[in-house]
Amino acid sequence: MAVYQDKPVKYYLNTEEDLFFLNELMGRKFKITYLGDIKCFCGKLVNNVFRMNFCYNCYYTLPEASEAILKPELSKAHLGIEERDLESEKAYQLQPHTVYLAISGGLKVGVTRTSQQITRWIDQGAIKALPILHTSNRYEAGVWEVELKKIFSDKTAWREMLRWNDPDVDLLAEKNKILETFRDRQNEFLDHSELFTFEYPSLEKPDKITTINIETKKSVEGILTGIRGQYLILDNNKVFNIRTYEGRHVEIEIT
C-alpha cells in the first residue's frame, strides 16, 4: 500500500490494473481471493517466495535482500567492502539515517533512512515518533540501535497496535532518560527533536485479532472498518496484512 501523511493517513492500494483510494471504501464490503500465482519483484512467476517476498535467486543474490537490510549493524559499504553489489550498497547504506523512538502498540526503537522516515513510521502503524539522532550512514545507526535495544524493544507490538491499545508514553521524557544513560555521548543526539503524530482511518476498534492467511484460506471478506500500518481491518475482528502477500495475484471485489 502507498501512503500519504494526512489526518488521517491516506491509503492507496496499488495493483497492476488499478489504484484504490482505500479511505473512501471504509464501511464497504471487500472480498480478496487468492488466484494461486506469485510474482517476484524481478517479474518472474514462482511457486513460493522467501523472506521479504523475493524468489530464491533474488533472495540469495540481490543487495535488497541482504542481511544488512534487517540488521543495519552488519552494513559494510562504509568500509568499501562488497556484500553483493557495492555500488547498490553504497547508494542505500551511505545516506543519512534516523534512529527514533515510536509508539506502535508499544514503545520501540528503530532505524530508517531519513528520507523515508515518515513512510516507515506509518508502515509500522506508529501514533507517535521522535527522531533522537541522525547518522551519516546505515552502519552507525545500526550500532546505536544495538545499544538502545538493551533498553527498548525493536519490535512492533502489532496485536496491541491493531486494537489501538497504545501506551501513554512521553517520548521526550524517554529521550531524556537515554541522554542520562549516555552522558558522555550527548553531543551525538539531536538538540531539538520534532515529535510526529499520526492518525489512522477507523470506524471501530477490534477487541481481539484474527489474522487471515490468504494462501491457506484462499479468500478473505468482510466490511472494511479500519486501516493501520499495512493492515486492512475488517468486521468480526479479522485483519489482513497487505505487505505479507505482496506479489500474489488476487481478485478484488468491492460492493
Side-chain angles (χ1 to χ4, degrees), residues 106-196:
L107 175 61
K108 71 181 297 290
V109 64
V111 164
T112 184
R113 289 173 292 163
T114 302
S115 62
Q116 294 293 312
Q117 63 185 24
I118 298 295
T119 299
R120 177 63 170 166
W121 296 330
I122 292 173
D123 280 353
Q124 293 181 340
I127 58 167
K128 296 180 183 178
L130 183 76
I132 58 174
L133 61 88
H134 291 151
T135 65
S136 61
N137 61 59
R138 189 167 181 80
Y139 171 77
E140 293 171 358
V143 171
W144 263 114
E145 185 182 38
V146 169
E147 285 298 312
L148 293 172
K149 282 194 295 186
K150 298 174 184 177
I151 307 172
F152 306 100
S153 172
D154 66 330
K155 307 298 183 185
T156 297
W158 63 272
R159 287 186 176 275
E160 299 303 310
M161 179 265 287
L162 291 174
R163 294 169 57 213
W164 268 260
N165 191 17
D166 301 281
D168 184 13
V169 176
D170 184 337
L171 293 183
L172 287 169
E174 295 299 323
K175 177 190 172 185
N176 288 333
K177 292 177 185 178
I178 296 172
L179 293 176
E180 285 297 310
T181 302
F182 297 95
R183 290 185 179 182
D184 58 336
R185 302 183 66 181
Q186 288 190 11
N187 63 312
E188 297 181 47
F189 290 85
L190 294 170
D191 290 333
H192 303 286
S193 295
E194 179 184 1
L195 180 65
F196 294 81

Side-chain angles (χ1 to χ4, degrees), residues 30 36 178 206 214 240 242:
F30 257 74
I178 296 172
I214 200 171
F240 178 65
I242 293 290

Side-chain angles (χ1 to χ4, degrees), residues 1-3 11-14 38 41 49-54 70 113 116 119-125 212 214-215 228-232 240-248:
M1 287 190 291
V3 299
Y11 280 93
Y12 300 87
L13 179 60
N14 281 308
I38 308 174
F41 295 103
V49 287
F50 294 78
R51 189 173 61 187
M52 298 183 285
N53 291 318
F54 286 104
L70 296 180
R113 289 173 292 163
Q116 294 293 312
T119 299
R120 177 63 170 166
W121 296 330
I122 292 173
D123 280 353
Q124 293 181 340
I212 303 298
I214 200 171
E215 291 184 334
R228 187 168 175 185
Q230 284 287 316
Y231 287 86
L232 300 183
F240 178 65
N241 190 329
I242 293 290
R243 177 65 54 79
T244 298
Y245 299 102
E246 281 183 315
R248 275 66 172 183

